[in-house]
Amino acid sequence: MGADSPGREVRPAPHPVVCGTIPQVTSRSDAAQHLSDLAWLRRVRDRIDREYELPLDVEALARGAHMSAGHLSRQFRLAYGESPYSYLMTRRIERAMALLRRGDLSVTDVCFAVGCSSLGTFSSRFTELVGVPPSTYRRDAAGATAGMPSCVSKQVTRPIRTDRSVRTDRSVRNREAPAPEPRLA
């Protein structure tokens, strides 16, 4: 029976079919899928915040979010502006800064306490994000936040990732406002 046969109605396809493409086979809308992905990405970010001192890798995080490692990395970067690994290292460096300010632990102890397994990688990343080596930070920052509430000191000392290709002084790298020149009357 052909399409011209009497008694047979020809219906259009539910989705427009374009040659060379696979029609959508999921019942979820794009918006619903996006919201679901965002919820999983928040769970991944929360897991990194909770378990930063554990040996986390993108593959393990992706398995927990029911995504491939590549998809997780792309979606995480779109949502938060950095890769999961960069976010993890930023959290580790933030915690390291707090431990170094206390002054009672060596740089090596702090490195391993925050989950880094290589002192060289830790020092390089710390210097990249903070602008000074961890030993210098430990020496100079021990009393810098004395008397400051922890919620304020955390905000003031938070490292801010910038474009790696731009190498500038510490105040620009950490996006701190330049100190105004004093007015002399």
Side-chain angles (χ1 to χ4, degrees):
M1 287 182 115
D4 300 342
S5 302
R8 179 162 180 197
E9 180 181 341
V10 177
R11 295 184 192 167
H15 299 289
V17 177
V18 179
C19 285
T21 64
I22 299 173
Q24 183 177 357
V25 293
T26 179
S27 61
R28 285 185 127 168
S29 70
D30 287 342
Q33 183 63 44
H34 180 69
L35 289 175
S36 175
D37 284 352
L38 285 177
W40 280 111
L41 293 173
R42 277 193 302 274
R43 289 182 188 115
V44 167
R45 188 186 63 189
D46 291 345
R47 180 177 177 197
I48 291 171
D49 289 340
R50 270 191 326 272
E51 301 175 4
Y52 65 88
E53 77 281 353
L54 299 177
L56 296 174
D57 61 0
V58 176
E59 289 79 17
L61 294 169
R63 276 192 305 275
H66 308 291
M67 297 179 184
S68 70
H71 185 68
L72 172 66
S73 291
R74 284 188 301 275
Q75 294 303 312
F76 197 95
R77 184 180 299 276
L78 283 173
Y80 300 112
E82 61 184 327
S83 70
Y85 179 75
S86 292
Y87 184 82
L88 171 63
M89 288 306 293
T90 301
R91 289 301 145 273
R92 286 177 172 170
I93 298 302
E94 280 181 354
R95 181 64 182 143
M97 291 170 70
L99 293 173
L100 290 169
R101 277 193 305 273
R102 282 186 6 199
D104 61 338
L105 295 173
S106 70
V107 172
T108 303
D109 292 339
V110 168
C111 168
F112 294 119
V114 299
C116 293
S117 57
S118 165
L119 183 59
T121 301
F122 169 75
S123 295
S124 297
R125 187 59 60 101
F126 190 98
T127 303
E128 176 187 320
L129 289 174
V130 180
V132 294
S135 56
T136 304
Y137 184 85
R138 181 178 182 265
R139 184 186 67 232
D140 296 345
T145 58
M148 194 182 292
S150 61
C151 60
V152 174
S153 68
K154 181 179 178 184
Q155 197 63 28
V156 169
T157 60
R158 171 170 271 161
I160 299 174
R161 182 173 304 281
T162 59
D163 184 7
R164 285 184 172 187
S165 63
V166 178
R167 297 288 181 203
T168 58
D169 70 346
R170 180 173 182 250
S171 64
V172 174
R173 181 181 2 263
N174 283 332
R175 296 188 190 152
E176 296 170 355
E181 293 295 322
R183 289 186 176 175
L184 300 174

